[in-house]
Every structure is written in C-alpha cells, then in structure tokens.
Amino acid sequence: MTEDDDRIGDRPAGDGLADGERWQNGMSVRREVLSDEHVDRSIRNQTELTADFQDFITRVAWGDVWQRPGLARRDRSIAVITSLIAHGHHEELAMHLRAALRNGLTVDEVKEIILQSAIYSGVPAANTAFRIASEVYEAD
C-alpha cells in the first residue's frame, strides 16, 4: 500500500479558477440569465447579513454550476424550473420562468415542462406554477 492509496479522492484534472475569476464569470452569467435589472436590484438590496450569501451564489451557482459544459443553458433552465415547482419555491420560479425565455425556451415549452411536472410533483404544484407563469408572461 502506498501513500497515494490513503487518499479519499483526487481533484479532477485542471487548475480550476480562482474565487475572483469564478465571481467575475458568475456575475456575467447571472446577468445574462436573470437580466441586468434583476442583478442590479439584488446588489442594491444586499445587506451585511446577505453579502456572503450573494457572494456564494455568484461564485458557486453561477460561476461554477451554470457554466459547466455538460448541459446547455436551456436544459439547465428546464432542470431548475422542475425543481422549483417540486419544492414550491414560487418566488424563484417566477424569476426562472423569465430566465427560461432568455435561455431559448418558448412559452409553449414551459407549458410542457409544467404539465410534465404535474405527473411527478403533483397537480397542485403544477396548478400554482401555471398561475405564476400566467402572471409572469402576461406582465412581460
């Protein structure tokens, strides 16, 4: 047994990005997906209490996960919408329904996502999602 055999796991190949780079990349993707208006509002509303969380989601969610090459942004939107429906995160759902259109989905495709979610997340969850989608798309 060698010293290498005691390791639990290795970091995947590559040097990775520094936190500053992840934050910059994350802020860019966040603006592209959610809109400058939304991100600017989030920054304006940031407090001492929420600053670390905003930094975390910018670096990790937007700077890492949303930039991975394995899924296109429209596919990530599908995954996010279904998860938000399933977990009842209605405020986030409205935001990501807007983002879905920026990521190349159509309203008809969103309708199909919500219908599909009714089977796996429940009719009441889909009913609420349709209400929110109606409000979001009628307002835009």
Side-chain angles (χ1 to χ4, degrees):
M1 186 175 201
T2 69
E3 185 177 313
D4 287 342
D5 293 333
D6 292 325
R7 288 187 292 193
I8 293 172
D10 290 326
R11 185 177 184 283
D15 292 332
L17 298 173
D19 273 352
E21 293 171 305
R22 288 189 313 156
W23 189 89
Q24 287 292 339
N25 291 345
M27 188 57 72
S28 176
V29 171
R30 194 174 174 193
R31 288 183 176 282
E32 291 169 9
V33 172
L34 299 178
S35 81
D36 287 332
E37 179 184 357
H38 173 84
V39 175
D40 290 344
R41 185 173 52 253
S42 293
I43 291 168
R44 275 193 314 274
N45 293 333
Q46 181 175 291
T47 66
E48 186 176 333
L49 178 66
T50 64
D52 289 341
F53 178 69
Q54 289 294 318
D55 175 66
F56 171 75
I57 62 173
T58 300
R59 286 182 298 107
V60 176
W62 299 105
D64 281 339
V65 176
W66 271 86
Q67 294 193 62
R68 292 180 57 82
L71 290 174
R73 284 189 187 166
R74 72 183 313 281
D75 300 326
R76 291 186 189 283
S77 279
I78 294 168
V80 169
I81 289 168
T82 57
S83 182
L84 294 174
I85 291 169
H87 294 285
H89 298 299
H90 303 145
E91 183 177 314
E92 293 279 321
L93 178 59
M95 176 178 64
H96 280 280
L97 289 171
R98 288 181 194 94
L101 301 182
R102 281 190 288 282
N103 286 336
L105 290 165
T106 66
V107 173
D108 284 340
E109 288 172 317
V110 170
K111 175 180 75 173
E112 293 300 323
I113 294 165
I114 298 171
L115 282 169
Q116 186 74 24
S117 294
I119 304 303
Y120 295 94
S121 299
V123 170
N127 189 43
T128 301
F130 273 118
R131 179 187 51 78
I132 293 168
S134 294
E135 292 169 1
V136 165
Y137 295 142
E138 287 174 10
D140 289 344

